[in-house]
Amino acid sequence: MPGYDDLIEDVASSILSSKHTVALTGAGISVESGIAPFRGKGGLWERYDPEEYAHIATFMQNPARAWVLFKEMIEVIRRAKPNPAHLALARLEELGLLSCIITQNVDNLHQSAGSRNVIEFHGNIINLSCIECGKKQRCSEVSLDEIPPLCACGGVLRPDAVLFGEAIPFDALVSSRKEAEACDLMLVIGTSGIVQPAASMPLVAKDSGAKVVEINPEETPITFIADIFVKGGAGRVLSDIIRRVEDKLR
Ligand code: NAD
Ligand code: ZN
């Protein structure tokens, strides 16, 4: 069994020899920024069932109920800052070593860290739009003292995030699949590998001949197809990887 340092060395070499690296990120990459994931220890799932609160049917029937979850996530996200894992991916892109990030997160932290090519697979919770007139508003410009927040037209506002029961935005789905098919290395970071269709992207990559690297403190359904599994938190592991990559470039 290779040790931790050997795995880091192996991932760094894979990144340097790859022609097209793509990262797929999930809620786990933002845990060290203080944003709880849905599943697992401390996850929102322990208190709410997101599949109920964040379901489009709940939102349409009782927007105030859905907004209890949205408001909590927005307040946490407003205080959150990118962590070393987000920064390491931004640095890889800057070095020309990462083509794009497909993220399931709705927290905008990759963009805050400086990543440019980010596919928001599940939209984001930073922008809101009116379900009546479609007008878009920045979440930061809207008071959440009363929920649900309303548009000037009286319509209910909703986040531009994909709710349970809704389809993935077509452009995001098409471009993610293209990236998964085209890459020769996919870094899968902090995702439970359960939420579909995002969870199928590593399979698409693997079927197209790519190497799959997984970084997660726990094994997931993706682990058995991973060529390299690095067990650990994204902050430490990606900091070690970027340090090794930069050492090798010197
Ligand atoms: P998930 O909540 O289902 O799973 C989180 C994964 O992160 C788990 O596999 C866990 O082992 C791992 N993890 C925990 N701590 C970690 C760490 N320090 N470093 C790396 N990994 C760690 O997340 P998911 O698979 O992304 O699916 C849930 C969906 O809910 C997402 O698609 C997303 O849309 C949404 N969500 C988003 C946010 C966010 O924007 N930050 C937060 C919660 C949920
Ligand atoms: Zn309106």
Side-chain angles (χ1 to χ4, degrees):
M1 271 280 281
Y4 178 79
D5 289 341
D6 302 320
L7 294 174
I8 297 297
E9 170 69 27
D10 202 358
V11 177
S13 311
S14 301
I15 290 171
L16 285 166
S17 60
S18 148
K19 291 192 172 61
H20 190 146
T21 300
V22 168
L24 172 70
T25 65
I29 198 169
S30 294
V31 165
E32 291 162 61
S33 293
I35 305 174
F38 279 173
R39 297 173 184 79
K41 246 204 302 186
L44 283 171
W45 221 282
E46 287 177 357
R47 288 180 294 127
Y48 313 102
D49 178 352
E51 280 195 49
E52 181 200 341
Y53 276 79
H55 199 285
I56 182 65
T58 307
F59 178 78
M60 296 313 277
Q61 276 158 16
N62 188 349
R65 185 172 167 82
W67 263 100
V68 172
L69 174 61
F70 303 158
K71 182 176 170 176
E72 177 171 331
M73 282 191 77
I74 287 168
E75 285 175 345
V76 171
I77 286 169
R78 274 183 184 159
R79 291 194 295 269
K81 291 194 175 49
N83 69 53
H86 298 104
L87 296 170
L89 292 185
R91 179 73 182 131
L92 277 182
E93 183 182 11
E94 194 179 38
L95 291 168
L97 296 171
L98 182 67
S99 302
C100 95
I101 299 173
I102 304 167
T103 190
Q104 298 170 77
N105 296 342
V106 294
D107 56 26
N108 206 49
L109 288 180
H110 286 302
Q111 293 90 333
S112 305
S115 289
R116 289 161 191 275
N117 200 2
V118 181
I119 301 173
E120 291 181 317
F121 203 78
H122 291 155
N124 67 72
I125 203 165
I126 302 301
N127 298 311
L128 306 179
S129 48
C130 171
I131 63 168
E132 299 297 337
C133 72
K135 187 176 169 229
K136 287 197 182 293
Q137 269 164 271
R138 299 285 297 172
C139 185
S140 51
E141 292 158 2
V142 174
S143 162
L144 298 180
D145 291 344
E146 280 183 40
I147 51 173
L150 301 177
C151 173
C153 83
V156 171
L157 295 174
R158 62 160 291 167
D160 284 349
V162 178
L163 304 183
F164 287 98
E166 288 189 305
I168 304 302
F170 187 71
D171 287 354
L173 190 58
V174 170
S175 43
S176 299
R177 271 200 77 98
K178 243 190 222 159
E179 288 290 342
E181 281 165 6
C183 71
D184 57 11
L185 175 65
M186 181 176 273
L187 310 174
V188 182
I189 306 159
T191 177
S192 61
I194 291 170
V195 181
Q196 290 292 357
S200 66
M201 293 302 152
L203 293 171
V204 172
K206 183 92 181 174
D207 279 350
S208 310
K211 191 183 238 190
V212 173
V213 171
E214 184 182 37
I215 299 168
N216 199 306
E218 310 286 341
E219 291 194 5
T220 74
I222 294 166
T223 311
F224 86 100
I225 64 147
D227 297 278
I228 307 174
F229 173 62
V230 189
K231 191 174 167 75
R236 175 188 173 203
V237 173
L238 281 168
S239 300
D240 289 342
I241 291 169
I242 191 74
R243 198 174 310 119
R244 192 66 62 92
V245 165
E246 291 192 313
D247 282 350
K248 284 170 167 292
L249 285 173
R250 267 192 210 111

